[in-house]
Amino acid sequence: MAGNSLVLPIVLWGRKAPTHCISAVLLTDDGATIVTGCHDGQICLWDLSVELEVNPRALLFGHTASITCLSKACASSDKQYIVSASESGEMCLWDVNDGRCIEFTKLACTHTGIQFYQFSAGNQREGRLLCHGHYPEILVVDATSLEVLYSLVSKISPDWISSMSIIRSRRTQEDTVVALSVTGILKVWIVTSEISDMQDTEPIFEEESKPIYCQNCQSISFCAFTQRSLLVVCSKYWRVFDAGDYSLLCSGPSENGQTWTGGDFVSADKVIIWTEIGQSYIYKLPASCLPASDSFRSDVGKAVENLIPPVQHNLLDRKDKELLICPPVTRFFYGCREYLHKLLIQGDSSGRLNIWNISDTPDKQEGEEGPAVTMSVSLQEAFNKLSPCPAGIIDQLSVIPSSNEPLKVTASVYIPAHGRLVCGREDGSIVIVPATQTAIVQLLQGEHMLRRGWPPHRTLRGHRNKVTCLLYPHQVSARYDQRYLISGGVDFSVIIWDIFSGEMKHIFCVHGGEITQLLVPPENCSARVQHCICSVASDHSVGLLSLREKKCIMLASRHLFPIQVIKWRPSDDYLVVGCSDGSVYVWQMDTGALDRCVMGITAVEILNACDEAAPAAVDSLSHPAVNLKQAMTRRSLAALKNMAHHKLQTLATNLLASEASDKGNLPKYSHNSLMVQAIKTNLTDPDIHVLFFDVEALIIQLLTEEASRPNTALISPENLQKASGSSDKGSSFLTGKRAAVLFQQVKETIKENIKEHLLDDEEEDEETMRQRREEGDPEYRASKSKPLTLLEYNLTMDTAKLFMSCLHAWGLNEVLDEVCLDRLGMLKPHCTVSFGLLSRGGHMSLMLPGYNQPTCKLSHGRTEAGGKLPATEGVGKGTYGVSRAVTTQHLLSIISLANTLMSMTNATFIGDHMKKGPTRPPRPSTPDLSKARVSPPTSSNVVQGQIKQVAAPVVSARSDADRSGSDPASVPALHTCFLVNEGWSQLAAMHCVMLPDLLGLERFRPPLLEMLARRWQDRCLEVREAAQALLLAELRRIEQAGRKEAIDAWAPYLPQYMDHVISRKHTHTFLQSFAEKRT
């Protein structure tokens, strides 16, 4: 999927909630969102109501390691930004409203704590992030760009910082950073706005360094109520210091030998301290710790054992005593939303959030138990409350009679050339199913809900237990036979399947543990290895399994630790294995001999050397003498062969280079409008399936199939213009130079689609097969082509049907809903559709199943009397009320696709062309071949009749009655085509203009002007026109005041192309008048 293209994810979660072992907790400043990070690297956003009801909203993907800390990253009320850091040094800046990744970076150090600091520079307020962790300094990072600006360094006893706090001074412009090192030394830095405004300066050294003898410090907290006290919590005791001179005021030991993990001030005279088992203790401080008291500092200078002890106020304990695999994370937050709230939030390893409201806790006697848990919810409980239950991708095919839970999908691979999804299950069976059809069953309501076992599928049985991994090698490299599917299981076996016949071709039983990974060797390996796949098992072994010879040609099984990474060095015929202990084993692939085993820096250098992109041909020709000597020394047969054939390689390289230069600079489009990706938050979880819809590729495919239908024997740019000339949209689609460019793409797409759907049944040499495919012998193709399953369907139209049905805002316009159902063939969702949002660097936000649950509760009360579907009503309203970025993406997608379908002839999702249509466009040169290829001849006639019945009146007046067997009268066909196009036009108009009025501004998040402006010159004409129409409609809606506000916000970033004599006021006037003219 290209970074510039418009890609929308839809996720099918399944009934089991993803594992979420919480490692960090944060409450946003507005008190409306709880953010939790987990040990698997995901971040969960939970909506928090004023009544303290919690509902999980979205899961954010992007980190590759455990989340170590979370912090707010913006102080303004209109932007809710947070920053997250992981164990691998990654930092991400997120927008909490929609889960967009704003910025990301990766540093060579691990942060364990981040605090946000805002300072004023003139009239502007800027934010900084103060980070500490596994390094002997505090890094000051820009909160917007995540760039390291400068650092706070220690002169005396530099060491790792265990905790840190920022003390804001109300009297002076100097703020104090107080930190405690792991050795118990308190360090103080003075930070001023002048220092903060500077960049790339020399490091700032500490003002004071004082040992306070606090070992194993867990947290430091500054008292915001008195502005004088500092709480230091260590693992076995906690202490209160005077923030003026850091003298000891009070100390408390641990309770019952427990370990403290943190603490904070609840009020001026109370502190709350929590333990590693999830208990929290509230203590009342003695009068000597209170600045307002007459006896303040009366105990200064006394020994720790002589200090007045604090009094235990009460105890906050967890409701459930289930065994946890790691200590829970507890944090205290206070702020003002509709009232002053003081919340203690705790997250544990089971994905559960416990919330205590301790705002108005009355005084209690010592030993009495404190307030009960105000709210407790886990991800799994939130999933269980939903009705209907969140659907998995093949739940309807995985029903177990004796259980309510369907069989879990444990491994998946998608075959885009055939639109099939292959799912391995926990009972060892493998199901091959049409991806769009099974997604329609899970998300949309229709006649398919009455059929058992729909859609038609194929089941492969061979593994005795859970399938752990699947691989379709032909998808990775065309050198593999496209019939072969490879599966690995917990029964130690690797099986080769023929996906077209369902036959088991071979079983490899060479490993002594469950198969954990299946890989494809790179292209430039030796000829023998190129026909192998690489298998990795839990017994720390790696095998090269030959699909051609049906035997294991190499088994590397001397690794002492689990395998973490497999790398290749084809030029030297090396397979490089990296293990979890840091050791690297280098194996010769041709001989199976262990070349060496290294550790330390050498191991890192070997792994890095494998990443160097040096083609075998260039590498072997650079120094022939040296390479020959290395080949003889290492006894590498493959290297000797490379030396012998270096002339052939030179010739092949030159040919490839010349061929690439001849192709020109046509933009390369991905022809996969739908991709299905299985993800897991944890290895123990079943697969979660994400359907990625590429809008641009879908438009290209729709127009390609449309252009190939009218007169396949005489395709030309002129005929294509006529075929799409049934509307203004179609005539603008092929104009000028774009006609020739698109015509070339159409031809290439048709060729690629036909090539992708060729299935060969005989065992032949691959070179011969490739030659015969290139020659394009029609008889050969017809005889070798076979359907993958019994169901044949139009993949492109099915994808469009699923996508448009999920995007449409149902329940807002009953007349249009009827048109969509009856005339256009769309289907209503029967459950909440969980969309996603792709952002920078491949970071992804996926909505959880009950993301619009609060709004659904409100809408239930209004809609119960009418008897309409409350669930489907919440679908459209919830989607367009989530965030401005989501609204922009969805409106762009549905309007551009509606315009595309409107430009086509009779583009409805009803009819035999949807059920029994060919899986690829008809060949341009042989229009009668499709009739001979499809097994039932009547279905082919019906299909062609369906297409021609609409196409004939539009393209020309000639009759197609002899092919279709239907009435050649053109008036009904024209009328039907007009009604369908009118339906798409109404759909586009409603989403472009009428949506804010129908939903109401309180439930509609308007599209982002800057995102639409970026698409103003999009490379895809349909997306471009949709963006332009949406932008102009939004500018009209916000009226003059809104346009002026947008221009004022953009003015500082606009280039100064005008004469400097013109004042800024005149510039604003010109820009505003220009915007008004455009609208």
Side-chain angles (χ1 to χ4, degrees), residues 637-745:
L637 301 177
L640 288 169
K641 289 176 186 174
N642 283 342
M643 288 301 303
H645 295 292
H646 69 277
K647 290 184 180 178
L648 280 174
Q649 290 171 345
T650 312
L651 180 62
T653 307
N654 294 338
L655 281 174
L656 286 172
S658 62
E659 186 183 350
S661 63
D662 290 341
K663 282 186 178 177
N665 295 320
L666 288 177
K668 178 65 176 171
Y669 290 103
S670 165
H671 296 301
N672 299 323
S673 56
L674 172 67
M675 286 298 295
V676 183
Q677 181 67 47
I679 56 173
K680 291 184 180 184
T681 56
N682 190 277
L683 288 174
T684 60
D685 287 352
D687 281 358
I688 300 163
H689 292 88
V690 186
L691 283 65
F692 293 98
F693 293 89
D694 190 330
V695 178
E696 183 180 314
L698 185 54
I699 290 171
I700 290 287
Q701 279 188 348
L702 286 169
L703 293 173
T704 301
E705 293 189 8
E706 172 73 6
S708 65
R709 277 175 189 152
N711 191 354
T712 53
L714 298 169
I715 286 189
S716 66
E718 292 78 17
N719 284 345
L720 288 179
Q721 274 187 323
K722 289 179 187 176
S724 55
S726 57
S727 67
D728 296 336
K729 185 74 186 57
S731 61
S732 66
F733 169 62
L734 293 168
T735 52
K737 292 182 180 178
R738 183 170 172 82
V741 172
L742 195 88
F743 174 59
Q744 183 67 25
Q745 291 165 0

Side-chain angles (χ1 to χ4, degrees), residues 111 386 569 767 780 841 861 886:
H111 307 306
L386 296 174
R569 188 77 175 174
E767 286 75 13
Y780 173 79
V886 171

Side-chain angles (χ1 to χ4, degrees), residues 99-100 140 199 275 281 460 464 555 581 584 718 720 777 803 887-888 915 944 997 1015 1042:
R100 268 188 309 155
V140 181
Q199 297 186 10
T275 70
Y281 295 84
L460 312 177
R464 289 191 291 267
L555 183 66
D581 67 331
V584 166
E718 292 78 17
L720 288 179
D777 181 11
F803 193 37
T887 300
T888 311
K915 297 177 185 175
Q944 296 208 356
D997 299 328
R1015 299 272 179 191

Side-chain angles (χ1 to χ4, degrees), residues 616-631 643 646:
V618 179
D619 190 46
S620 59
L621 292 174
S622 53
H623 298 289
V626 175
N627 282 339
L628 184 60
K629 183 184 176 188
Q630 288 178 352
M643 288 301 303
H646 69 277

Side-chain angles (χ1 to χ4, degrees), residues 3 202 351 553 610 675 820:
E202 293 294 320
I553 66 169
C610 294
M675 286 298 295
C820 291

Side-chain angles (χ1 to χ4, degrees), residues 265 324 363 368 567 592 608 640 784 797 870 954 981 1031 1035:
F265 284 94
L324 301 176
D363 289 345
E368 285 192 34
K567 300 219 173 177
N608 292 338
L640 288 169
K784 298 300 176 188
M797 290 296 281
V954 180
N981 289 345
L1031 181 57
L1035 288 173

Side-chain angles (χ1 to χ4, degrees), residues 115 163-171 174-179 186 219-233 239-246 249 263-268 270-271 285 291 296 332 334:
Q115 290 212 19
S163 191
M164 170 189 69
S165 182
I166 302 170
I167 301 176
R168 307 299 300 263
S169 173
R170 295 178 179 176
R171 296 186 298 256
E174 294 183 348
D175 296 325
T176 307
V177 177
V178 180
L186 189 80
S219 72
I220 292 182
S221 304
F222 178 63
C223 182
F225 305 99
T226 63
Q227 300 283 321
R228 278 296 298 269
S229 306
L230 203 66
L231 172 68
V232 177
V233 180
R239 290 174 178 173
V240 178
F241 293 88
D242 183 358
D245 59 357
Y246 307 107
L249 301 178
D264 209 335
F265 284 94
V266 176
S267 61
K270 293 190 186 75
V271 295
L285 298 176
F296 179 56
F332 175 76
Y334 74 93

